[in-house]
């Protein structure tokens, strides 16, 4: 396939390299001066999109996606498919879907889970929204860049699944960290705490697969001085998207709101910026009930 790839950062770079490695003809564009193995660089997004069967975007946010789509859509061939893999607000995904429909293009919103490691290894999970035809056009590429792709529904459903998942993740990570901090103060050994909880009803991905306590459980960013991994500011971004979506449909999400507020304090007022989102544990170790 002829593929245009816009946004070749931490995630997009390795994703595009994996597509090129499988023999696809990939033309890339990024505002920054980057070189990616096997990817030919274009002078603009429109140039990378011209003549492509599929154009993939992997960008920081919905506003940037909307402005990039203004350039891409007119350059794309009728019947081609635009696949946005960024994490953006549901409204932006639906607006770009409509713009594509008006121009005779297919659109899939397909945010990912799996992080930088999954992007490099080709083991991402894609959660996709769009028509069946659009999903099928993108599926062979999802199979290269990832290990699973779930067609969640119409346009916007992929972003909805992503923010619901990450709202759960933010809440469970905070719960896991505050429980470890409580266990410390109760004199409970961290390894014992892990041994019990990881096989009891308190288990979760945060505890079992990404344990926030250094030296306990499988290797995780906690064992690497909380270098991301998944940075706290990206978790804050996703929690904000979840609360924005909840506002727009009047959904009651008190725990999600609290998780957003805690990560906002951690990132904006404390030292959380640039640290993995599991660094909530050292934060709770230092704080006390009187700090609230
Ligand atoms: P990044 O900042 O490393 O990459 C974004 C790239 O987009 C940059 O290279 C930037 O130069 C480029 N860009 C920005 N504006 C542009 C424009 N107008 N035209 C062309 N290029 C432009 O970010 P990332 O970590 O690769 O994340 C990308 C998306 O994936 C985000 O939406 C993020 O929320 C999501 N995501 C990230 C992770 C992760 O662990 N990093 C995990 C899941 C999802």
């Amino acid at each position: 396939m002829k593929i245009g790839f816009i946004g070749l950062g931490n995630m997009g770079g390795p994703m595009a390299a994996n597509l090129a490695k499988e023999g696809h003809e990939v033309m890339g564009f990024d505002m920054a001066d980057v070189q990616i193995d096997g990817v030919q660089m274009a002078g603009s997004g429109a140039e990378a999109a011209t003549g492509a069967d599929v154009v993939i975007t992997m960008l920081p946010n919905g506003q940037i996606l909307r402005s990039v789509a203004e350039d891409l859509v007119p350059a794309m061939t009728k019947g081609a498919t635009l696949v946005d893999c960024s994490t953006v607000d549901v409204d932006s995904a639906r607006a770009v879907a409509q713009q594509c429909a008006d121009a005779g293009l297919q659109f899939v919103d397909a945010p990912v889970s799996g992080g930088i490691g999954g992007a490099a290894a080709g083991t991402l999970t894609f959660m996709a929204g769009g028509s069946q035809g659009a999903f099928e056009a993108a599926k062979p590429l999802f199979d290269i860049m990832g290990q699973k792709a779930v067609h969640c529904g119409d346009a916007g459903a992929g972003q909805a699944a992503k923010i619901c998942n990450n709202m759960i993740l933010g809440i469970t990570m905070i719960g896991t960290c505050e429980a470890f901090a409580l266990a410390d103060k109760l004199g409970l050994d961290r390894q014992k705490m892990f041994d019990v909880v990881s096989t009891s009803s308190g288990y979760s991905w945060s505890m079992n697969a990404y344990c926030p306590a250094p030296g306990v459980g499988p290797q995780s960013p906690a064992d690497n001085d909380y270098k991301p991994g998944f940075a706290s500011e990206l978790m804050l971004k996703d929690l904000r998207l979840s609360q924005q979506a909840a506002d727009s449909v009047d959904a009651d999400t008190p725990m999600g709101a609290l998780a957003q507020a805690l990560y906002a304090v951690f990132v904006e007022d404390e030292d959380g910026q640039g640290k993995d989102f599991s660094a909530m544990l050292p934060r709770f170790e230092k704080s006390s009930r009187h700090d609230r």
Side-chain angles (χ1 to χ4, degrees), residues 35-91:
Q35 295 297 328
I36 306 292
D37 272 358
V39 176
Q40 200 190 327
M41 295 307 289
S44 68
E47 187 190 335
T50 302
D53 303 298
V54 174
V55 176
I56 301 177
T57 47
M58 194 51 166
L59 297 162
N61 59 48
Q63 206 185 337
I64 294 176
L65 169 67
R66 285 179 194 240
S67 88
V68 167
E70 292 292 330
D71 287 341
L72 300 183
V73 167
M76 286 174 67
T77 312
K78 260 197 175 31
T81 307
L82 177 59
V83 181
D84 177 47
C85 294
S86 332
T87 304
V88 303
D89 56 291
V90 175
D91 287 347

